[in-house]
């Protein structure tokens, strides 16, 4: 069954500039594509606050609203909800399996783990996004 998907056209995943912006070994701008491009897109979506992007004020996630909130179960549920909400709207190339949160109360950190798979492709992927509830705790 894996052979069936090996030759599948994955052009819908796209190719573009790598994030963060980097130079290639040849001196040009580094590009990324396929699953790596999707991971970079997830990072950008979660990192961007609503209203931050010019001409697209609805782009991003509401995670920034939770900075300085107490690290409790209600906040963890809200984090998962905000991540699902943002990725369902802004990342059409994936299907989300589940979103988990791992809290580190000492550091004021919540590791957000997104388990997903690329549409029309059976391999599962995961992405860890570190979210600090305390500004400057990084």
């Amino acid at each position: 069954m894996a052979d069936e998907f090996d030759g599948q056209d994955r052009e819908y995943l796209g190719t573009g500039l790598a994030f963060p912006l980097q130079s290639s070994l040849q001196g040009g701008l580094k590009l990324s594509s396929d699953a790596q491009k999707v991971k970079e897109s997830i990072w950008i979506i979660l990192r961007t606050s609503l209203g931050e992007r010019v001409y697209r004020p609805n782009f991003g996630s509401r995670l920034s609203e939770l900075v300085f909130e107490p690290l409790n179960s209600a906040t963890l549920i809200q984090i998962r909800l905000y991540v699902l909400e943002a990725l369902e709207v802004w990342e059409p190339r994936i299907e989300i399996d589940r979103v988990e949160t791992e809290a580190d109360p000492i550091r004021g950190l919540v590791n957000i783990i997104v388990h997903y798979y690329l549409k029309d492709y059976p391999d599962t992927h995961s992405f860890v996004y570190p979210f600090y509830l305390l500004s400057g705790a990084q």
Side-chain angles (χ1 to χ4, degrees):
M1 181 169 172
D3 293 337
E4 174 183 334
F5 292 99
D6 287 342
Q8 183 175 350
D9 182 22
R10 294 170 58 140
E11 191 173 305
Y12 75 96
L13 296 175
T15 299
L17 295 175
F19 179 82
L21 201 56
Q22 306 169 39
S23 62
S24 67
L25 295 174
Q26 294 80 21
L29 292 176
K30 187 174 182 179
L31 300 177
S32 64
S33 59
D34 294 337
Q36 180 62 31
K37 191 67 185 163
V38 172
K39 282 188 177 190
E40 292 169 359
S41 176
I42 292 170
W43 179 271
I44 292 168
I45 292 165
L46 297 181
R47 182 85 176 161
T48 305
S49 301
L50 294 180
E52 183 178 342
R53 189 170 259 188
V54 178
Y55 299 118
R56 193 163 266 185
N58 297 327
F59 179 82
S61 73
R62 297 174 57 191
L63 286 175
S64 63
E65 296 174 14
L66 300 175
V67 174
F68 300 118
E69 290 295 318
L71 184 49
N72 57 27
S73 60
T75 303
L76 295 177
I77 290 170
Q78 212 162 15
I79 288 171
R80 290 192 296 268
L81 176 69
Y82 287 174
V83 169
L84 280 170
E85 176 183 81
L87 294 180
E88 285 176 353
V89 170
W90 295 109
E91 189 43 82
R93 299 172 289 186
I94 65 172
E95 290 289 334
I96 299 170
D97 185 29
R98 68 187 182 282
V99 177
E100 299 174 351
T101 50
E102 292 179 354
D104 181 352
I106 304 295
R107 296 173 49 201
L109 168 71
V110 177
N111 281 319
I112 303 169
I113 305 151
V114 181
H115 299 276
Y116 65 96
Y117 58 94
L118 303 172
K119 285 191 175 176
D120 303 324
Y121 206 75
D123 294 342
T124 59
H125 298 267
S126 63
F127 177 81
V128 179
Y129 180 79
F131 178 66
Y132 289 87
L133 290 171
L134 304 174
S135 181
Q138 305 171 14

